[in-house]
Amino acid sequence: MHQSKAPQHTAQHPQPAPAAPVHRRKRTLVAALGIGLAVALSGCNDDTGKGSDKESAAASKSPSEGASQPSEPAAPGGDEPMVEGWQTQTSQKHHFRYDVPAKAEKWKVLDKGTALSYTDKDGKPIVVMTAAADYREGGCSSHPNPDAIGQAGKGQLATVGTTGGGKEGSLQENARNWAGNWGFAAYGGKDHKPKIEVSRAKPWKHGGIEGYTATAQVTVTNRPSACVPPKAVVHSIAQKLPDGTMHGWVIYADQGVPDALSADDIKKIMNTVRPTGG
């Protein structure tokens, strides 16, 4: 939903944690999982480069295996879109390439180095993504997270991007982390906590990636105007590189408002996700 383009600033993160060094630091997010179950999610934050991604890994300690998806043939390399007329975005840093619909369909591919983030009370980035794209940017200016700054809350109905770089936790845990944390931060943060239900992580074998995927269903609790969606959905794809670092691709999208992405729209975009091969 609503994101900032400012490289190191933007808005909030799940459940505040005691002050600690940013590098490889652990934080906590409490998300509602299943029927009324509160599970503490925690994980790694390994990326501390200036203007680069920093993520708080919120990973469930509960089992996260799921039914495997059918294997898919590897996607062709290069920057050409898999869907004719679509736009391609690439993150060499996080080894993901993906496509989004054309400009005429209100999609905007951002500069690869533009960091979209949410910050803690001290203004430090908690979740960050780069190599991003926005859907219907510049619409309603209201948003459920009052601490969003910069371009956050400018009306994007969906945002896609890449994140990661740490080694802590399992790939399954980090898949759930990225889904839960982005849902929490983008749709309320600690001051207006949304209700989050994070699925178990399921194997993802598609387009040449063998990793895990997880989904967060978000119920927004702070709706200062009708522009703020009542619900949202977040999907993540996590992959592990040979050096042991874990990297994520995330899409989060408003639901229940005009022009919202459908489940089929999101699936079509997710099906273009492939490794860079670099």
Side-chain angles (χ1 to χ4, degrees), residues 26 29 33 39-44 55-65 167-181 198-203 211-215 236-240 246-248:
K26 294 211 172 189
L29 160 64
L33 306 179
V39 178
L41 306 179
S42 64
C44 64
E55 80 287 347
S56 164
S60 172
K61 300 300 182 182
S62 60
S64 55
E65 296 293 337
K167 294 184 177 182
E168 293 183 21
S170 69
L171 197 57
Q172 298 97 309
E173 288 173 337
N174 279 283
R176 300 187 75 230
N177 149 40
W178 290 314
N181 274 13
V198 185
S199 74
R200 291 178 177 234
K202 298 179 180 180
Y212 282 85
T213 184
T215 300
S236 67
I237 298 173
Q239 65 173 333
K240 189 173 185 177
M246 288 167 277
H247 302 263

Side-chain angles (χ1 to χ4, degrees), residues 20-188:
V22 173
H23 185 64
R24 302 185 69 82
R25 118 193 234 181
K26 294 211 172 189
R27 292 180 180 270
T28 299
L29 160 64
V30 177
L33 306 179
I35 303 175
L37 296 179
V39 178
L41 306 179
S42 64
C44 64
N45 179 7
D46 199 62
D47 194 341
T48 57
K50 295 180 179 179
S52 62
D53 306 21
K54 296 181 184 179
E55 80 287 347
S56 164
S60 172
K61 300 300 182 182
S62 60
S64 55
E65 296 293 337
S68 177
Q69 295 193 359
S71 296
E72 296 286 343
D79 289 324
E80 292 300 315
M82 295 179 65
V83 180
E84 185 177 357
W86 281 27
Q87 307 172 81
T88 299
Q89 177 65 289
T90 300
S91 173
Q92 293 294 346
K93 177 179 181 179
H94 295 300
H95 299 265
F96 282 105
R97 179 174 286 127
Y98 66 93
D99 304 326
V100 295
K103 292 180 182 179
E105 297 182 54
K106 307 299 183 182
W107 277 91
K108 178 181 179 181
V109 172
L110 305 179
D111 182 270
K112 293 178 178 62
T114 298
L116 310 180
S117 68
Y118 282 83
T119 65
D120 62 18
K121 63 180 181 180
D122 298 318
K124 296 180 180 179
I126 293 172
V127 288
V128 179
M129 61 168 59
T130 52
D134 282 338
Y135 171 58
R136 288 189 174 270
E137 182 183 83
C140 173
S141 62
S142 188
H143 52 85
N145 192 332
D147 295 318
I149 59 175
Q151 290 300 111
K154 297 298 184 182
Q156 300 93 322
L157 294 189
T159 299
V160 194
T162 62
T163 189
K167 294 184 177 182
E168 293 183 21
S170 69
L171 197 57
Q172 298 97 309
E173 288 173 337
N174 279 283
R176 300 187 75 230
N177 149 40
W178 290 314
N181 274 13
W182 279 99
F184 192 100
Y187 293 97

